[in-house]
Every structure is written in C-alpha cells, then in structure tokens.
Amino acid sequence: MDQLVGMAPLQPASIAAAAAAHVALKIPSGDGPYARAKHFQLVEKDLDASIAWFWKAISTGDKVDSALKDMAVVMKQRGYLAEAVDAIKSLRHLCPRQSQESLDNILLDLYKASGRTKEEIELLKQKLRKIYLGEAFHGRTTKRARSHGRKIHVSVKQETSRVLGNLAWAYMQQRNFMAAEVVYRKAQMIDPDANKACNLALCLIEQARFADAELVLADVLAGRFQARDQQDGKIVRKAEELLARITAQTSPGGGGGGDGRRGDDDDDGCDDWVEDEMVALLDVVVTQWAAPYRKTNRRLPVFEEISPLSREQMAC
C-alpha cells in the first residue's frame, strides 16, 4: 500500500463512543499501527485501510505475529488469497515459535478457499508429523485451543483424528477416494464421530460400495457415536440423504456410482497413484510415526493404535 489512511479527529462525544467500542471489541489501546489497523478493521469496517496499517505494524515491529495473522484473515475476507499465502510464507520467520501452529491453520484455510489442495495435503501431513514428534503438544497429552470463541482442552487423540479427517476430506476433493477411505478409517479408529462416518460413507458411495456405505450409515442412525454428534440434527439429515442417494443409484436406471478413481483432468493414472501416493501416505502414518518419540523410544499411546497396512490391503 503506497498510502496509509489516517483517522479523522474526533469530537469529545465521539471519543467516548470510540473508547467504548474499543473496549467492547478488545482493540488494543494507543495510537500505534496495530491499534489503528484493528480500529479500521472492526470499527470503521474499512478492510483495505486495515491491511495497509497491518503492513505498517509488521514493518515497524508492532505486535508482528498478531498483525500478520489478522492481516491474512482480512485479506481472505477481501479475496486476496494468493497475496495472503505469500505474506505468511515470506513473513512468518518474524513470528515466535508459539505462533507457527496458528499460522499453519490460517494457511490451511487459505489453501482450502483457493483450491490449492496439493499444498493443503502436504501441510496436513506436516502437522501429523509434528503431533507425533511432540512439537504440537510439547510432550503433553493435551493442549489449549479455541473453538467458536471458547477456550477448550484438546487431547492428542482428538487433534490427530481431526487432522486425519481434514486430510481425508482433501483427498476427497482430489477424487482420491481410496486414500480418503483409508485415512477416514484411521481417524475413526482413534476418535470416532458421526460426521467423519458420514464422509466415509460418501467415500464408499463414490466407489460404488453401497452395502459398505449402508453399514456405516446404520451405525450413525443407531447413535453408535459420541452423543455430541447425535445432538446435531444435520448429521441425521446428512445420513438420510446419503441413504436416499444409495437407493436412487441402486434402483433400475439409477446409474450406479463412481469408480474410486481420480478426476479425468489428472495426468497420472490410478495404478501409479496407488503405488506412489499411497506408499507416501503410509510413510507418514507408519514409518515416520514409528520413529522415536522425543529422545526416548516411547510413543504417545494414540500412535500405538495405528498398525501397518500392507500394499496389498491398500491396492484392493
């Protein structure tokens, strides 16, 4: 940004109103670049001006990690997806170690929003490696996180299952249904929930494995998963819609289902993918996770539950 937008002088009544807004919106006090950026973002609703001030905050060392994260979020709102990705990649070295995970999460959102699935998959694999190596939890079994504005405690099992679920969904976007199925099943072994079960059923439908999909959906409708999933009526409706899809596709003239292959626009053949991509995935799930945890031979209990799968199992 070549020019920075300044804030016009305020009248006494306006000053009091602005101060109250700053307190309510948790905008930092003072007149520094970061405080100005948050004012334009949350009070003035001038997102382009806030981006300019976030840049200024980063360049002057004013709350660099918060400024970079907030700027990337605002850039996403404005549709500057590629620019936001480039900003994080080029400036994240200025941020402390404890900010790197949240920057990764923002990157994942940007990759997903811009359809950069290959990069999303690679970053999710990196997150899995960090969980195993103890870098994500610093050797502990839980960590604090935010969900819908609330602080919560997340266990290694929950985080691993969540990342695996995101990885499986990314494979779904590539139409790599065999990879997605394997990863969803691993996620369900660790911390099962109804949403991932429905996605697994969708994966099976795309491979025309309707009977297997029906078994998974029957478990969902029977309430065989955690209670918090069954409280959401959307899950039940989703399961019923998938069952209706199975009925439509298996009826005479229904057209059947997918073949589990990648989309026609992919250059590589399905056989090459099974041999190369799947073995690479197993390297993450099995080989790398079998390495020593921290400086001992101990692995977190969750990873003991992940058993090796042979290539024959993966190729069938």
Side-chain angles (χ1 to χ4, degrees):
M1 299 288 180
D2 296 330
Q3 293 184 329
L4 293 178
V5 179
M7 291 186 290
L10 298 175
Q11 299 300 319
S14 299
I15 292 174
H22 280 214
V23 172
L25 296 171
K26 298 182 179 179
I27 296 175
S29 59
D31 198 36
Y34 182 71
R36 286 173 176 256
K38 295 300 290 184
H39 174 85
F40 279 109
Q41 177 193 3
L42 301 175
V43 179
E44 301 288 342
K45 308 295 184 182
D46 187 340
L47 299 185
D48 285 337
S50 73
I51 292 172
W53 280 105
F54 281 132
W55 273 115
K56 180 68 172 178
I58 294 168
S59 64
T60 59
D62 184 12
K63 299 183 183 296
V64 174
D65 54 335
S66 296
L68 178 56
K69 288 183 280 190
D70 289 343
M71 183 178 71
V73 171
V74 173
M75 283 181 161
K76 180 186 175 186
Q77 289 179 283
R78 292 289 289 121
Y80 308 145
L81 300 178
E83 292 84 352
V85 169
D86 291 342
I88 291 179
K89 287 184 173 181
S90 61
L91 298 171
R92 67 183 306 166
H93 69 281
L94 301 174
C95 302
R97 181 179 178 183
Q98 59 266 30
S99 297
Q100 297 303 316
E101 183 179 1
S102 56
L103 288 171
D104 282 343
N105 292 335
I106 295 172
L107 263 182
L108 286 170
D109 286 339
L110 291 168
Y111 287 151
K112 185 178 296 185
S114 54
R116 295 165 68 165
T117 310
K118 184 176 180 181
E119 290 164 285
E120 180 186 358
I121 287 173
E122 289 306 312
L123 186 51
L124 287 167
K125 289 180 179 179
Q126 290 178 30
K127 288 180 75 69
L128 289 171
R129 294 188 190 104
K130 288 179 180 179
I131 293 173
Y132 169 70
L133 294 173
E135 296 175 9
F137 283 72
H138 306 292
R140 298 188 296 269
T141 57
T142 62
K143 69 174 182 178
R144 298 182 72 178
R146 284 188 174 273
S147 176
H148 304 292
R150 297 183 299 106
K151 290 184 178 180
I152 60 173
H153 282 86
V154 179
S155 69
V156 176
K157 280 193 173 189
Q158 290 170 329
E159 179 67 1
T160 304
S161 181
R162 185 188 70 82
V163 175
L164 284 171
N166 290 339
L167 177 59
W169 184 253
Y171 277 120
M172 290 276 283
Q173 306 317 298
Q174 288 189 329
R175 300 189 65 78
N176 291 347
F177 299 118
M178 286 180 286
E181 179 190 348
V182 170
V183 180
Y184 272 132
R185 290 192 185 280
K186 287 298 180 185
Q188 292 294 79
M189 287 169 55
I190 296 169
D191 187 38
D193 69 63
N195 185 60
K196 287 194 290 289
C198 287
N199 289 337
L200 172 60
L202 175 59
C203 210
L204 295 167
I205 292 171
E206 293 290 352
Q207 297 177 73
R209 292 165 55 190
F210 302 118
D212 291 340
E214 286 178 327
L215 290 174
V216 173
L217 293 172
D219 285 342
V220 173
L221 295 175
R224 296 196 175 104
F225 295 100
Q226 299 172 21
R228 66 175 183 269
D229 297 315
Q230 295 303 314
Q231 292 172 355
D232 187 353
K234 293 181 180 178
I235 293 293
V236 174
R237 289 194 297 272
K238 184 176 181 180
E240 291 173 343
E241 288 170 1
L242 289 172
L243 284 172
R245 177 174 170 181
I246 292 173
T247 300
Q249 291 186 226
T250 54
S251 62
D259 59 5
R261 293 175 176 264
R262 302 173 76 169
D264 294 336
D265 56 340
D266 291 298
D267 295 329
D268 298 330
C270 181
D271 292 339
D272 291 337
W273 171 78
V274 171
E275 179 68 19
D276 299 329
E277 185 72 12
M278 219 46 219
V279 171
L281 175 62
L282 289 178
D283 284 341
V284 177
V285 178
V286 180
T287 307
Q288 294 206 21
W289 289 355
Y293 172 63
R294 301 184 71 184
K295 294 183 179 180
T296 71
N297 291 324
R298 177 176 63 87
R299 284 188 289 173
L300 289 175
V302 63
F303 294 105
E304 299 292 350
E305 301 175 16
I306 301 176
S307 58
L309 296 176
S310 66
R311 292 191 183 188
E312 291 75 18
Q313 288 175 298
M314 299 304 308
C316 59

